[in-house]
Amino acid sequence: MKISYNWLKQFIKIDWDAEKTGELLTDLGLEIEGIETYESVKGGLKGIVVGEVLTCKQHPNADRLKVTTVNIGEEAPLQIVCGAPNVAAGQKVPVATIGTTLYTEEGEAWKIKKGKIRGEESHGMICAEDELGLGKSHDGIMVLDAKLKVGTLASEVFEIENDSVFEIGLTPNRADAMSHHGVARDLKAGLLQKDVQLELITPSVSSYHVDSRTLKIDVDVQDKEKAPRYCGVTISGLKVEDSPSWLQHRLKSIGLSPINNIVDITNYVLHELGQPLHAFDANKISGNKIEVKTCTAGTKFTTLDEVERELHKDDLMICDAEKPLCIAGVFGGINSGVSEGTTSIFLESAYFNPVSVRKTAKRHGLNTDASFRFERGIDPNITEYALKRAALMITEIAGGEISSDVSDTYPNKIGDFEVRLSFDNAKKLIGEEIPRETIKSILTSLEIKVNNVTETGLGLTVPAYRNDVQREADIIEEILRVYGYNNVGTTEKLNASISNSTRFEDYKLQNIIGNQLASQGFFEIMANSLTTPKYMELSAQLDAEHNVEMLNPLSNDLGVMRQSLLFSGLEAVSYNINRKRGDLKLFEFGKTYHQYSEKREEYKHLSLFVTGNKSDEYWDPKVQLSPSDFFYLKGTVEIILQRLGLHRLKSSPLKSDLFSEGMSLSLGKLKMVDFGLVKKATLKHFGISQNVLFADFNWDNVLEMAKHNSIKFKAIPKYPEVRRDFALLIDNTVTFEDIFTIAKQTEKQLLKNVNLFDVYEGKNLPNGKKSYAVSFTLQDENKTLTDKQIDKIMNKLQTNFESKLGAELR
């Protein structure tokens, strides 16, 4: 938001420089992001002086040029070659001296230099008004008042405005500061804390009166919830033309382009007081009636930008007896606004429901100065005052007369806020005790009324325009920002407390696993919890009825909260692949959100995404690139679970329409994780052509089971372990898990590990058969195993494999 310093000084007569004022505004919470210089004439006419043409003779070598001598108040006159047809001796003219910088209409700079024109020296330039930026005429040089003194600076002759413009990074809660008056009000409170007492000057409307009652337009507010207050008045006999220069300079300084005097005045009052206004051409209002209502869904309406829009059933509209004229609080219509031929207007000033305006603006993709303010909540009690202020300015600048009484529909007055402040709570939050008289002074300077004072606190009434100050904490924040954060001292004593927390706290386990994954080459992502409802169509297991829908979505693609971490992760995968980052290992700790018939629930998850090669390209040809596969992901999943002490997991095939193949691991009755290869049909929706592996941990269940894990310590065995191998010819239907289970059942004490280290399927094997090479590790922790013991165990294993699995030794 831009604030003109010159404009601000109309409300508070401060004589500080802009930088110092900017520092105070920043301390008050209105952060100054930059200070720009505004010049009504680019360059400020620096180097331009009043000169007198002493002689004017024909150029000897050019028919259209004249050679002049010009007195600019120096010892000797200047010789200047001029091509203007109207230059003549005796004239007072603006002269650009050597070294002066002028600007083209496009803003390009060029410098006046000493030179020769057709053989004659020229030591400056006699200027036309367009060359100085004072107008558009280039018919000839400017002829100034003959009474002007030679050598006078042109910047002293013309009304040149130089201004400093603050760029304020306004936070959304500070609706009260969305105007020059609001910023001045804060500035006054800040100055008071620095013992600078200045009066806040408010524009007077005491001269307002009705000239006649010749043009009455009835107002019917049908939707009083969306339009709690609506004011209007008519003005007749006015003339639409360009605004005076002072008004144009005010608007240009804050980045607005002047349009005409009527529209410029409504914009002026908007940025002066923070109250949006709208002027309708009274002759275009059918039936001399204004209706504030919603229209039938699908109604077509063309706005000022010549875009035809389809209205929603909840869009509040300003209509006449026949048609809609304006989207209330957002944007005007193309056929109802002020034009050059307008002679009478209906001037509107209203307070519209902030939520209604925001929803309408978002639906139509519009963001205007008016909607910006209505969305955040303006002052409902200055609606009539701002209307009168604008009406007086219009009659003063555009002529005409006020031709009706003010129509003010305000059935339910918006009340102020009653808040109680405890001195003890203020001290606790601020960290030190601020004198009570200082607190009262600060609150009073912010127009917060002190109703009663007790030993323990204050009873306060907060004005309605401060809709962000409704709690005790908000009051304390107001006190602190005006008192000054920098004025709160810091203690020399450092206090600390030790919290009694378990090692199984969520954040601790997240840090453990996050660090482990990072050491394995994974990168953490943080995706948006808001997503598009269209993703529900990608899986029959996701039900749109369980979507948690946003009441006021930022866009259609962010309309619901996610039910799965898969799709937001695939968006990140697709984004990276499209930027030549195809080898990815990503993880995210996040939540999913679900709407059930009676309640809403959210669940914690850890998701893993793996695609592309396991490692980066390497110069050594012996190091072969290997793509990430199901078993790589399986190993990563198992390492995570083992790190958390979760063992003896039961595996089962994963049944999901999002996976082409996968596995589910459970502990007891609780599912720990689903993982596998994402279906190509799902990947195609995201424009991904390479395989993507996905793991989804139910982090709530992981946390629950990790709490029951106890660490057990045991001595390292003193006696050696023994390894024996079997090459088993088995049916294709037999899994390694079958072999592992039988082995563990056969020998529970001495068999420490069973490992599959080779699989062969191919030539020289019977149909339907495969060969598994399995190793068995045996160890007795109390003594060295004998060959007799080892052979006995291996024979027993062989017998069980043959009888239960139909296995043969190769």
Side-chain angles (χ1 to χ4, degrees):
M1 184 183 73
K2 293 183 182 295
I3 292 293
S4 158
Y5 198 23
N6 288 348
W7 198 344
L8 194 65
K9 290 177 181 178
Q10 292 180 201
F11 295 96
I12 187 165
K13 301 298 183 181
I14 183 173
D15 57 0
W16 288 7
D17 60 52
E19 287 75 14
K20 187 176 180 181
T21 302
E23 290 176 2
L24 178 55
L25 289 173
T26 298
D27 290 342
L28 289 167
L30 303 178
E31 183 179 358
I32 303 301
E33 297 178 339
I35 302 177
E36 301 174 356
T37 299
Y38 168 78
E39 297 172 326
S40 59
V41 175
K42 194 170 179 63
L45 298 183
K46 294 176 182 177
I48 313 296
V49 297
V50 175
E52 181 179 8
V53 181
L54 301 178
T55 63
C56 181
K57 297 179 181 180
Q58 183 65 43
H59 193 292
N61 302 318
D63 294 338
R64 296 186 179 182
L65 298 178
K66 304 284 177 58
V67 179
T68 67
T69 55
V70 183
N71 176 20
I72 62 169
E74 297 183 351
E75 292 182 3
L78 303 177
Q79 177 172 296
I80 299 176
V81 176
C82 181
N86 64 329
V87 64
Q91 293 174 335
K92 295 286 180 68
V93 293
V95 178
T97 56
I98 299 297
T100 299
T101 300
L102 298 179
Y103 298 87
T104 65
E105 189 175 347
E106 292 76 23
E108 295 181 7
W110 59 285
K111 187 172 287 188
I112 302 295
K113 299 179 181 179
K114 176 183 176 181
K116 282 188 177 182
I117 302 176
R118 293 289 186 93
E120 296 293 327
E121 289 189 358
S122 184
H123 298 267
M125 176 178 171
I126 304 174
C127 302
E129 66 175 34
D130 67 329
E131 293 166 334
L132 298 178
L134 296 172
K136 297 181 179 180
S137 173
H138 195 69
D139 296 335
I141 60 168
M142 292 185 72
V143 180
L144 306 178
D145 190 340
K147 297 179 182 179
L148 291 174
K149 183 181 178 181
V150 171
T152 303
L153 297 177
S155 58
E156 298 176 2
V157 176
F158 300 98
E159 293 182 3
I160 305 301
E161 175 145 354
N162 296 312
D163 196 0
S164 296
V165 180
F166 301 113
E167 181 68 43
I168 297 181
L170 194 67
T171 52
N173 64 307
R174 291 303 308 276
D176 62 296
M178 294 186 296
S179 66
H180 286 75
H181 181 264
V183 173
R185 183 170 49 213
D186 253 25
L187 185 57
K188 176 195 172 185
L191 288 169
L192 188 61
Q193 293 307 303
K194 297 185 178 295
D195 296 325
V196 180
Q197 297 190 16
L198 293 176
E199 181 185 358
L200 182 64
I201 303 169
T202 303
S204 174
V205 295
S206 59
S207 61
Y208 179 89
H209 65 279
V210 179
D211 298 301
S212 68
R213 292 177 174 81
T214 55
L215 180 58
K216 185 176 186 299
I217 293 181
D218 295 326
V219 175
D220 179 16
V221 180
Q222 298 180 15
D223 195 329
K224 295 179 176 60
E225 182 179 349
K226 290 185 174 67
R229 187 174 190 183
Y230 190 89
C231 297
V233 70
T234 63
I235 303 174
S236 303
L238 51 82
K239 183 179 181 181
V240 178
E241 56 188 1
D242 289 341
S243 298
S245 58
W246 70 265
L247 178 52
Q248 293 193 36
H249 292 330
R250 284 286 178 266
L251 298 180
K252 287 179 180 178
S253 68
I254 59 173
L256 298 181
S257 299
I259 299 173
N260 59 55
N261 50 6
I262 306 302
V263 176
D264 291 350
I265 289 169
T266 60
N267 283 331
Y268 181 88
V269 174
L270 165 69
H271 289 276
E272 179 187 51
L273 301 175
Q275 171 65 54
L277 304 168
H278 192 75
F280 299 91
D281 189 327
N283 294 325
K284 297 176 182 177
I285 299 176
S286 300
N288 279 355
K289 185 176 184 181
I290 288 290
E291 296 181 352
V292 184
K293 63 181 182 179
T294 56
C295 296
T296 306
T299 300
K300 304 294 183 182
F301 179 69
T302 304
T303 46
L304 278 171
D305 55 0
E306 300 182 358
V307 175
E308 184 179 74
R309 305 177 188 276
E310 191 172 293
L311 299 180
H312 188 272
K313 63 181 180 66
D314 292 329
D315 291 339
L316 185 67
M317 302 296 295
I318 311 300
C319 308
D320 60 18
E322 299 177 356
K323 60 187 180 300
L325 304 174
C326 173
I327 303 178
V330 181
F331 212 25
I334 194 169
N335 296 319
S336 62
V338 173
S339 62
E340 291 182 359
T342 299
T343 58
S344 300
I345 64 168
F346 174 77
L347 187 62
E348 165 196 282
S349 178
Y351 176 88
F352 297 118
N353 182 281
V355 175
S356 173
V357 173
R358 180 168 177 79
K359 287 184 177 181
T360 296
K362 290 298 180 184
R363 272 194 290 266
H364 297 289
L366 294 170
N367 183 22
T368 63
D369 283 339
S371 67
F372 178 83
R373 285 158 177 80
F374 278 126
E375 288 173 15
R376 287 156 179 78
I378 62 172
D379 185 356
N381 296 319
I382 66 164
T383 310
E384 183 181 9
Y385 165 72
L387 182 72
K388 291 180 177 179
R389 165 69 170 156
L392 286 173
M393 289 185 67
I394 289 172
T395 55
E396 178 185 344
I397 294 172
E401 62 179 16
I402 298 173
S403 51
S404 74
D405 292 314
V406 172
S407 172
D408 186 2
T409 305
Y410 195 17
N412 300 309
K413 189 177 187 308
I414 297 174
D416 297 332
F417 309 111
E418 301 295 329
V419 183
R420 177 75 184 174
L421 171 67
S422 165
F423 292 130
D424 286 341
N425 289 340
K427 180 180 177 181
K428 289 177 183 177
L429 284 179
I430 294 172
E432 70 177 47
E433 187 171 6
I434 297 177
R436 298 183 179 186
E437 288 303 316
T438 301
I439 289 176
K440 289 190 286 185
S441 173
I442 290 173
L443 294 175
T444 303
S445 68
L446 293 172
E447 299 184 0
I448 296 174
K449 183 180 178 182
V450 179
N451 296 323
N452 56 75
V453 182
T454 66
E455 284 297 318
T456 59
L458 303 174
L460 306 169
T461 298
V462 182
Y465 65 80
R466 289 309 306 270
N467 52 39
D468 63 318
V469 183
Q470 301 184 30
R471 306 169 302 165
E472 182 183 47
D474 301 327
I475 293 290
I476 296 172
E477 181 185 7
E478 290 297 292
I479 295 169
L480 184 54
R481 72 178 182 85
V482 176
Y483 179 74
Y485 292 98
N486 296 333
N487 295 327
V488 177
T490 56
T491 61
E492 296 180 357
K493 181 181 179 182
L494 180 64
N495 295 322
S497 59
I498 300 174
S499 61
N500 183 20
S501 61
T502 172
R503 62 189 177 92
F504 297 110
E505 289 285 347
D506 186 6
Y507 76 93
K508 291 184 179 179
L509 296 186
Q510 284 192 33
N511 287 338
I512 290 172
I513 300 305
N515 288 332
Q516 176 174 310
L517 288 170
S519 67
Q520 292 178 249
F522 280 76
F523 289 89
E524 185 172 9
I525 61 174
M526 288 180 283
N528 197 340
S529 294
L530 298 176
T531 188
T532 173
K534 293 180 181 178
Y535 287 157
M536 299 305 105
E537 301 171 5
L538 299 178
S539 173
Q541 293 172 303
L542 299 176
D543 195 338
E545 292 184 0
H546 298 322
N547 279 336
V548 178
E549 297 182 354
M550 305 303 295
L551 296 177
N552 188 20
L554 295 173
S555 70
N556 293 330
D557 289 335
L558 299 173
V560 300
M561 303 192 77
R562 60 183 177 180
Q563 289 191 47
S564 170
L565 270 63
L566 173 62
F567 306 120
S568 54
L570 290 179
E571 288 177 349
V573 171
S574 175
Y575 183 90
N576 280 274
I577 290 175
N578 291 338
R579 285 153 183 80
K580 305 301 181 182
R581 296 294 301 270
D583 301 330
L584 299 170
K585 289 184 280 189
L586 309 174
F587 73 96
E588 178 187 8
F589 288 99
K591 293 182 179 181
T592 59
Y593 307 86
H594 310 268
Q595 173 72 61
Y596 297 114
S597 57
E598 297 181 355
K599 60 181 179 179
R600 294 173 179 168
E601 293 188 2
E602 59 183 64
Y603 304 108
K604 298 175 184 176
H605 294 261
L606 165 62
S607 63
L608 307 181
F609 295 87
V610 178
T611 184
N613 294 314
K614 297 178 186 176
S615 58
D616 295 333
E617 292 179 335
Y618 194 63
W619 63 270
D620 190 346
K622 297 178 182 178
V623 179
Q624 299 293 325
L625 291 176
S626 58
S628 302
D629 56 17
F630 174 84
F631 295 101
Y632 174 75
L633 179 64
K634 180 174 182 288
T636 304
V637 167
E638 289 178 343
I639 289 172
I640 291 173
L641 295 172
Q642 289 173 10
R643 180 65 182 83
L644 296 173
L646 302 178
H647 304 283
R648 300 187 184 88
L649 292 150
K650 181 180 179 183
S651 64
S652 59
L654 179 60
K655 297 178 181 179
S656 171
D657 58 0
L658 293 172
F659 294 88
S660 57
E661 58 182 61
M663 181 180 290
S664 180
L665 298 180
S666 302
L667 189 57
K669 295 182 179 180
L670 297 179
K671 180 183 290 187
M672 296 290 108
V673 58
D674 292 337
F675 61 95
L677 187 65
V678 181
K679 270 190 174 181
K680 292 189 179 298
T682 304
L683 299 178
K684 185 178 179 181
H685 183 85
F686 295 87
I688 301 173
S689 57
Q690 63 191 57
N691 288 337
V692 177
L693 297 152
F694 171 62
D696 181 19
F697 288 81
N698 187 319
W699 193 248
D700 289 308
N701 290 346
V702 170
L703 291 175
E704 179 61 30
M705 298 309 296
K707 293 176 182 178
H708 302 295
N709 178 43
S710 59
I711 299 176
K712 296 180 180 179
F713 298 91
K714 62 179 181 179
I716 297 175
K718 298 179 181 179
Y719 301 96
E721 60 184 28
V722 176
R723 168 174 164 163
R724 292 289 186 269
D725 298 342
F726 275 166
L728 299 173
L729 183 66
I730 54 178
D731 293 337
N732 284 337
T733 57
V734 176
T735 65
F736 172 69
E737 185 178 5
D738 297 330
I739 296 173
F740 183 90
T741 302
I742 292 173
K744 284 293 187 179
Q745 291 174 349
T746 302
E747 178 55 56
K748 296 180 180 179
Q749 293 183 350
L750 301 182
L751 183 62
K752 301 301 182 183
N753 188 36
V754 182
N755 182 51
L756 176 66
F757 63 90
D758 187 45
V759 177
Y760 176 73
E761 294 177 301
K763 295 180 180 180
N764 303 322
L765 291 182
N767 290 334
K769 297 288 186 178
K770 60 184 176 182
S771 176
Y772 270 12
V774 185
S775 67
F776 303 90
T777 302
L778 304 172
Q779 186 181 44
D780 190 333
E781 297 179 1
N782 299 312
K783 62 182 179 178
T784 301
L785 288 171
T786 64
D787 289 340
K788 185 176 181 181
Q789 287 178 296
I790 296 170
D791 292 340
K792 181 179 179 182
I793 293 172
M794 297 307 296
N795 289 334
K796 193 174 181 181
L797 287 172
Q798 179 182 347
T799 301
N800 286 340
F801 290 150
E802 290 174 346
S803 62
K804 296 181 180 180
L805 300 178
E808 300 177 22
L809 284 183
R810 294 185 67 200

